[in-house]
Amino acid sequence: MNHDPAPPRPRHYLAVADLAEAEIRALLDRALRLKALHRAGRPHRPAVGRTLGLLFEKPSTRTRVSFEAAMFHLGGNCSFLPARDLQLRRGEPLKDTARVLSRYVDVLAVRTFGQEIVEELAAWASIPVINALTDQHHPCQALSDVMTVMEAKGTALEGLKVAWLGDGNNVAHSWIQAAARLGFALTLACPEGYAPDPEILARAQAEARAPIRLTTDPAEALEGADVVNTDVWASMGQEAEAEERRRVFAPYQVNAEALSRAKADAVVLHCLPAHRGEEITEEVLEGPRSVVWDQAENKMHLHRALLEWTLGLHRESPEGV
């Protein structure tokens, strides 16, 4: 009879709602701490000998490079695994891929189409699986966005009013879950027919301590907002709809006139890539209220904190690292 204890279950991160509020806040605080260490030039390499696998089915600039840089800064290595080069393309089952990769790498970040793909990989993997984007959720992006808000507005998120203008897409879904967990108000202004998933919205509204609202009126969302957030109007895979979306989404552009409805010290987020002249104007993107470049950098620091957490590497040292 085998009396060995069962191995600990891996810490997956597939959606913001997977984590309790205390876990999210610990990750955000840790990311801010790691950013300060990075800026001070203090090395921190607890992941020596560990490998991050990056299984990507979609193109990426920021997510791929920020994950790679994060793992390198932690002292570990990366193996980039484009799905087109794997046996997955020839029909190898996900459950087989998950178990094989679990023997080679220590953590797996997956950028793919359906949420069910990351869920199946996580169900069969014996290593942590991180959702690096699906069509339904982009949980890493949302938390690095919230980290940016904390830098700009302070770490007490309660009382903040966030406006989301545009498509009710995967990033919007993750922001909805973040608002529910962290207690800030969120108003999404989306054109009719482009609203977020009603089930995700309803669950978050039932949990939330502050209002999470949906409207078709961008002015209503912007009024008195502390944070204004937007994203591309046509996501990857929606290129054929781009022309129609430009017509439908035109009233939802973040421009100087729209921003005048927000608070005078409101900050502007965009997870990039930006289409200047479509969802956001050049003057706003490059203006003094834009924090998009900090937002892009913060993906790396959030990913460092997330990799530490999933790998169980964070142990506070006597030096406070």
Side-chain angles (χ1 to χ4, degrees), residues 268-289:
V268 176
L269 299 176
H270 190 308
C271 63
L272 303 175
H275 293 79
R276 291 167 168 83
E278 293 188 14
E279 73 274 4
I280 192 167
T281 59
E282 172 83 3
E283 64 176 332
V284 171
L285 186 69
E286 301 289 356
R289 295 157 81 174

Side-chain angles (χ1 to χ4, degrees), residues 158-222:
E158 293 86 352
L160 287 181
K161 180 183 176 185
V162 178
W164 173 274
L165 265 64
D167 195 12
N169 62 12
N170 51 359
V171 183
H173 291 158
S174 293
W175 265 89
I176 289 168
Q177 294 188 338
R181 282 286 191 269
L182 297 172
F184 58 84
L186 173 65
T187 303
L188 304 108
C190 307
E192 193 170 340
Y194 297 90
D197 184 307
E199 185 176 339
I200 291 174
L201 181 63
R203 286 185 181 177
Q205 288 172 324
E207 174 190 338
R209 305 191 296 274
I212 300 176
R213 297 192 177 99
L214 175 64
T215 177
T216 57
D217 182 2
E220 181 183 337
L222 288 162

Side-chain angles (χ1 to χ4, degrees), residues 9-296:
R9 296 182 61 186
R11 296 169 166 178
H12 304 303
Y13 180 53
L14 308 184
V16 173
D18 288 348
L19 303 185
E21 178 181 357
E23 291 176 309
I24 296 173
R25 288 190 176 274
L27 271 179
L28 293 168
D29 290 344
R30 183 61 181 161
L32 290 166
R33 175 63 179 153
L34 290 172
K35 183 174 183 177
L37 290 171
H38 182 75
R39 291 288 176 88
R42 295 178 63 181
H44 176 57
R45 300 191 178 96
V48 172
R50 306 294 186 98
T51 300
L52 164 66
L54 292 159
L55 199 169
F56 276 33
E57 285 194 275
K58 289 188 174 187
S60 173
T61 299
R62 279 152 292 277
T63 300
R64 175 183 172 177
V65 178
S66 59
F67 261 115
E68 289 177 336
M71 195 59 173
F72 290 142
H73 283 304
L74 291 173
N77 298 295
C78 295
S79 181
F80 185 66
L81 307 164
R84 65 177 183 275
D85 294 340
L86 302 181
Q87 295 293 346
L88 277 172
R89 189 179 181 185
R90 299 177 62 207
E92 183 169 34
L94 285 169
K95 62 182 181 181
D96 293 0
T97 301
R99 286 176 289 183
V100 168
L101 293 180
S102 295
R103 304 296 181 102
Y104 299 149
V105 302
D106 299 282
V107 54
L108 187 65
V110 183
R111 185 176 177 92
T112 186
F113 295 91
Q115 183 72 10
E116 70 280 2
I117 294 174
V118 292
E119 290 174 353
E120 184 170 350
L121 287 167
W124 288 95
S126 57
I127 57 173
V129 174
I130 297 171
N131 179 355
L133 179 143
T134 65
D135 291 343
Q136 194 169 27
H137 293 283
H138 200 353
C140 298
Q141 182 65 58
L143 290 198
S144 55
D145 295 351
V146 173
M147 175 186 171
T148 309
V149 172
M150 293 169 73
E151 288 181 320
K153 295 292 179 183
T155 56
L157 296 167
E158 293 86 352
L160 287 181
K161 180 183 176 185
V162 178
W164 173 274
L165 265 64
D167 195 12
N169 62 12
N170 51 359
V171 183
H173 291 158
S174 293
W175 265 89
I176 289 168
Q177 294 188 338
R181 282 286 191 269
L182 297 172
F184 58 84
L186 173 65
T187 303
L188 304 108
C190 307
E192 193 170 340
Y194 297 90
D197 184 307
E199 185 176 339
I200 291 174
L201 181 63
R203 286 185 181 177
Q205 288 172 324
E207 174 190 338
R209 305 191 296 274
I212 300 176
R213 297 192 177 99
L214 175 64
T215 177
T216 57
D217 182 2
E220 181 183 337
L222 288 162
E223 197 67 42
D226 300 284
V227 178
V228 178
N229 198 358
T230 189
D231 194 3
V232 295
W233 290 340
S235 298
M236 287 177 284
Q238 298 171 334
E239 289 78 6
E241 305 172 25
E243 185 173 344
E244 172 65 7
R245 282 174 172 260
R246 278 194 288 273
R247 184 188 66 78
V248 171
F249 282 88
Y252 297 82
Q253 183 186 69
V254 178
N255 52 37
E257 181 182 353
L259 200 53
S260 68
R261 296 181 178 276
K263 288 183 179 175
D265 63 348
V267 296
V268 176
L269 299 176
H270 190 308
C271 63
L272 303 175
H275 293 79
R276 291 167 168 83
E278 293 188 14
E279 73 274 4
I280 192 167
T281 59
E282 172 83 3
E283 64 176 332
V284 171
L285 186 69
E286 301 289 356
R289 295 157 81 174
S290 168
V291 291
V292 300
W293 313 116
D294 292 329
Q295 183 185 0

